[in-house]
Amino acid sequence: MFIANKDILVPLLENICLEFEPHDGPLMNLLLETYLDQWVTEEFPTHEKILALLTKAPECRSWDWARALFACKKFGFSEGEIIAYEKLGLHSDLLGIRFSAAQNSDSLWPNFIETCRKYAKSKPSLWKDAFYLITSPGETETPQFIVEEILDKLLEEGLLEPLPILDKLCQTKLRLGSVRSFLTRVLDRREMEEAEMEAKKLQEETRAIRRHTENIRTKPSVFQGSRCNACMQKLEFPSVHFLCLHSFHQHCFESYAENERDCPICLSKNKDLLGVELKNKSSRAVVDADFALKLSTAKSNSFSVVADFFAKGIFSSEFDHANDLAHQKKNVEKIM
């Protein structure tokens, strides 16, 4: 009877809702739907009434926010959707609404990032949702300060690894300058992690060397080798023994060794290691030059170049050999 006659229905529902009972929630939901129907047809200036009802409705225990959200979505009342999403705790959906609004009006970008700041405290993954939104296909470019904050939070919270982030950035129209600080932080963090790992490794090696040195100094060394490490024949006197536990016939050592101080076997291994290090330095110089050339000639998307060389490990060491040694020594001293 009243549904068909809204001139009677609306005043009746409004009177009921002035002093509602706890079980009057369904009637308040019905009043909201009626208001929205009038708002769409512009029969009455009900915009303020809708917002007032949404503000007052939570005081009624039987009010149905899910029904209210459905009604707001059905009639396209975005302000009501935002309120309902907040009340229902659907923060990811709320973020999507904020993002869509910001794409249509640059003045609404602060609302988008403020939603992240407000609700990510209890739901950190909201920063990841924001990242996927700003890297989704679209014509509108996200402001630089928002891009920087989202990328910083992804690193701080450990929500995504750098390589997946770079891979996603390669598929967007974001400019390289918008994420320069992020790339710098990634490289700095990677360098610090590698330096810490190297420092711990050096610390363990130093302790092992100290223990070995102390054993040599305070305990007798037992040479149990029965064969010459040069000719592999049975060891006979006169013989030469080294603390590395390699032993040689006197005549084998004289013909095999380069000098009287170093063990021939260990000296050969040490030279091989030095040769690999020099080769790696030469290869690194070639890769550095190739990276600089490709980055300077990249026209469409510089991210693809950065991501490609990042995966190759071009950023794994940024210092020359002398600085590496000083850096490692400094880290070892800090740990010890």
Side-chain angles (χ1 to χ4, degrees), residues 60-228:
C60 182
R61 286 180 294 176
S62 57
W63 168 264
D64 189 345
W65 274 113
R67 180 177 171 181
L69 174 60
F70 177 79
C72 290
K73 289 180 71 69
K74 177 182 177 181
F75 292 99
F77 191 70
S78 59
E79 293 176 81
E81 288 183 59
I82 291 172
I83 296 173
Y85 279 133
E86 287 181 319
K87 297 298 182 180
L88 291 169
L90 302 175
H91 301 138
S92 296
D93 297 284
L94 173 61
L95 193 64
I97 291 288
R98 296 288 196 192
F99 179 73
S100 298
Q103 285 190 307
N104 296 324
S105 175
D106 290 342
S107 62
L108 297 179
W109 279 113
N111 294 340
F112 170 73
I113 195 64
E114 188 58 37
T115 301
C116 293
R117 295 168 183 163
K118 182 177 180 180
Y119 297 109
K121 295 177 182 178
S122 58
K123 187 182 178 183
S125 62
L126 207 59
W127 290 111
K128 187 159 58 172
D129 295 336
F131 172 69
Y132 287 127
L133 284 172
I134 66 172
T135 55
S136 59
E139 298 298 326
T140 304
E141 185 173 346
T142 307
Q144 182 173 340
F145 78 94
I146 291 180
V147 176
E148 291 177 352
E149 182 170 352
I150 291 174
L151 293 178
D152 286 346
K153 290 296 182 180
L154 290 178
L155 287 182
E156 289 177 9
E157 302 290 343
L159 299 171
L160 280 175
E161 289 298 316
L163 278 178
I165 295 176
L166 285 173
D167 182 60
K168 189 67 176 176
L169 290 173
C170 291
Q171 305 171 25
T172 70
K173 295 183 179 180
L174 290 175
R175 299 174 184 174
L176 184 60
S178 299
V179 293
R180 183 177 290 109
S181 62
F182 164 75
L183 293 174
T184 302
R185 286 193 60 185
V186 168
L187 300 181
D188 289 344
R189 190 182 74 163
R190 183 163 176 160
E191 178 188 324
M192 289 176 62
E193 290 175 350
E194 291 178 352
E196 289 175 0
M197 292 177 61
E198 185 65 21
K200 290 179 180 179
K201 179 181 177 182
L202 290 173
Q203 182 188 29
E204 292 299 324
E205 291 178 354
T206 301
R207 289 174 179 172
I209 291 173
R210 285 179 175 174
R211 288 194 297 267
H212 183 59
T213 303
E214 183 66 17
N215 290 337
I216 292 175
R217 190 175 66 83
T218 59
K219 298 179 181 180
S221 297
V222 180
F223 297 93
Q224 297 178 336
S226 60
R227 293 185 179 277
C228 171

